Amino acid sequence: SAQHLFDFLEPRARIQPQIMMDAYVQIFEEVLRRSGDIFSTRLGISLRNKLRLWVRIHYLKLRARFLQPAS
């Protein structure tokens, strides 16, 4: 629900909250797929999705670097 607040942050400051939100959304979707069963097996993010997050982190860092005004 706080995603709309990201626009108030500097581009480089948005990266960490965005990645955290993406990871928690993935975990929440897994909870929904399991119909709320969080006790039978451990919740987590697949290796494939971890790699996607890793790529996204580096993409956002690179993008933020180019969007940052020159000093």
Side-chain angles (χ1 to χ4, degrees), residues 15-50:
I15 296 169
Q16 185 64 34
Q18 182 67 50
I19 296 302
M20 289 175 61
M21 186 186 75
D22 292 347
Y24 282 111
V25 164
Q26 289 179 19
I27 292 171
F28 182 68
E29 288 172 353
E30 180 65 22
V31 170
L32 293 177
R33 275 194 298 277
R34 295 181 184 192
S35 300
D37 178 15
I38 61 170
F39 298 109
S40 62
T41 57
R42 185 175 181 185
L43 287 170
I45 299 173
S46 69
L47 178 59
R48 179 178 161 195
N49 286 333
K50 286 178 185 178

Side-chain angles (χ1 to χ4, degrees), residues 5-18 60 63-65 67-69:
L5 298 174
F6 289 176
D7 293 335
F8 295 105
L9 297 171
E10 294 291 326
R12 293 190 77 190
R14 295 178 196 164
I15 296 169
Q16 185 64 34
Q18 182 67 50
L60 290 173
R63 186 173 155 215
R65 184 173 293 153
L67 290 177
Q68 193 174 36

